[in-house]
Amino acid sequence: MLATELESIIKRDTSTSFILVEILSFLRLKKIIRPGYTTLQDLISEALNKERQRLGESLITKISPEIQEQLDVLLLTDNMISELATLKQDAKDFKYRIMQAECNKLETLRPLYQLAKSILPSLSISQQNINFYASLAHFYTVYELREFKPEQRNLYLLCYSWQRYQKIIDNLVDAFCYQIKH
């Protein structure tokens, strides 16, 4: 019963603090005595591993070699700056050149966003988890991302592409509104 509840919780949010609070609430609601710390830690670790494995297996079946190539392009270094590192940089203001660079980033991300749009809903990932995985792609360096398992790296990059595309669109809308006002 506890393992089933953990699976449900992890589909909503994979952050460990959320999982712990939710599982303790569940135990209190069902009037079950809280298991020992190590037991709880093992149950949560096992549930997280199952979720990673489920997502990895789903991604393996959904990502073709052509798609894999598109994702790998983000991690290639050219003059010590990768495509992903370029995409991570936020616009500093609403000047024409900077907004033109944002449009270029948008065009780079468009195929990956379309891909993420088709794949992510089929993985049954909550928006909170998409944000979490995207933050991991932003947090890790390109070198570190290359060291991850391909399925894990692909998940992070797809979530990041999804989130970053939407952020760039928001930046362009804000810039347009700013330009209209001035």
Side-chain angles (χ1 to χ4, degrees), residues 79-163:
N79 296 330
M80 299 304 287
I81 298 177
S82 72
E83 192 72 33
L84 183 61
T86 304
L87 291 172
K88 285 181 179 183
Q89 297 171 354
D90 276 327
K92 294 180 179 137
D93 55 38
F94 297 135
K95 292 180 182 169
Y96 177 77
R97 277 189 167 177
I98 293 176
M99 289 303 107
Q100 189 65 39
E102 289 291 289
C103 288
N104 292 340
K105 289 179 193 177
L106 198 65
E107 288 307 311
T108 300
L109 278 175
R110 187 178 311 278
L112 293 174
Y113 174 75
Q114 295 298 330
L115 176 66
K117 198 165 97 171
S118 66
I119 290 178
L120 290 179
S122 67
L123 294 177
S124 302
I125 303 176
S126 69
Q127 185 62 44
Q128 186 65 30
N129 282 344
I130 289 173
N131 293 339
F132 177 70
Y133 295 137
S135 72
L136 291 175
H138 186 75
F139 174 76
Y140 290 113
T141 65
V142 173
Y143 177 78
E144 290 169 325
L145 284 171
R146 279 192 219 126
E147 300 300 314
F148 286 130
K149 292 180 183 175
E151 322 67 71
Q152 188 177 11
R153 176 180 60 230
N154 291 341
L155 175 65
Y156 294 172
L157 291 174
L158 285 173
C159 291
Y160 184 76
S161 299
W162 169 280
Q163 187 183 56

Side-chain angles (χ1 to χ4, degrees), residues 18 25 49 54 108-109 127 129 180:
F18 177 80
S25 296
N49 287 335
R54 179 188 75 82
T108 300
L109 278 175
Q127 185 62 44
N129 282 344
I180 295 295

